[in-house]
Amino acid sequence: MYNIHHLKEIIGKANMIQFCLIVLVAVNLTKAIVYLPFKMFQLEDIQFREELINPKQPTLTVTILISALILAPIVETALFQTFIYQFKRWLHFNNTTIVLISAVCFCMIHNFSLLYMICTFFGGSIFMYVYILRSEDNKKTYWSVALAHSILNAFALFMVLIFNTL
């Protein structure tokens, strides 16, 4: 029980930079854990649609940058954290239910592949959980999560460019 209270305190009291770094590490650590069995057992991912950036020949356009770094974080934070958090207050859902609803909705719109959806499910869970924790301390909740989402997307774009063009 102490660890959860300590985590709430850390996330609730973190400044914007600390908060974004915590979220960046948490989401990427979760991605690594999800990817590990796929790589170890050489499992094939199931593709549902083309990704925005071709991993074999990554190129960034202004449209992709604006979408990934500005529009998606702002709109997705509004829909999948703020709006769903309001459901909690209206329908008296508990935090676990809200985190699951948010994560499922978040992963459903990121339906490029099965592996990507699994990763975004956990990423969406983290976004909603930290949104709840931040809202309890009234620490610019919406903008904290939107900025963390934007930084996560910037990191992902950077990693695609670096590791697929070397």
Side-chain angles (χ1 to χ4, degrees), residues 73-107:
I74 288 172
V75 171
E76 291 175 7
T77 301
L79 291 175
F80 303 119
Q81 281 84 48
T82 305
F83 184 69
I84 291 176
Y85 186 72
Q86 293 304 314
F87 270 170
K88 173 188 180 209
R89 297 169 75 200
W90 296 328
L91 301 175
H92 306 291
F93 287 153
N94 64 30
N95 288 345
T96 304
T97 303
I98 290 301
V99 168
L100 290 173
I101 291 169
S102 176
V104 167
C105 292
F106 191 71
C107 87

Side-chain angles (χ1 to χ4, degrees), residues 41-112:
F41 300 114
Q42 298 176 349
L43 300 173
E44 285 292 319
D45 191 12
I46 300 169
Q47 295 292 321
F48 300 123
R49 63 185 173 110
E50 276 189 46
E51 295 184 41
L52 296 175
I53 298 176
N54 181 351
K56 295 186 180 23
Q57 290 184 319
T59 53
L60 289 180
T61 63
V62 173
T63 304
I64 289 172
L65 287 173
I66 290 172
S67 295
L69 303 181
I70 299 170
L71 296 177
I74 288 172
V75 171
E76 291 175 7
T77 301
L79 291 175
F80 303 119
Q81 281 84 48
T82 305
F83 184 69
I84 291 176
Y85 186 72
Q86 293 304 314
F87 270 170
K88 173 188 180 209
R89 297 169 75 200
W90 296 328
L91 301 175
H92 306 291
F93 287 153
N94 64 30
N95 288 345
T96 304
T97 303
I98 290 301
V99 168
L100 290 173
I101 291 169
S102 176
V104 167
C105 292
F106 191 71
C107 87
M108 295 304 283
I109 66 153
H110 292 89
N111 58 351
F112 300 110

Side-chain angles (χ1 to χ4, degrees), residues 20-35 106 118-128 130 148-149 152-153 155-156:
C20 290
L21 287 174
I22 290 167
V23 172
L24 182 68
V25 168
V27 171
N28 282 306
L29 184 60
T30 305
K31 278 184 186 178
I33 292 168
V34 170
Y35 272 93
F106 191 71
I118 293 168
C119 288
T120 56
F121 173 84
F122 289 109
S125 298
I126 292 168
F127 283 141
M128 189 68 228
V130 296
H149 189 162
L152 180 71
N153 287 355
F155 182 78

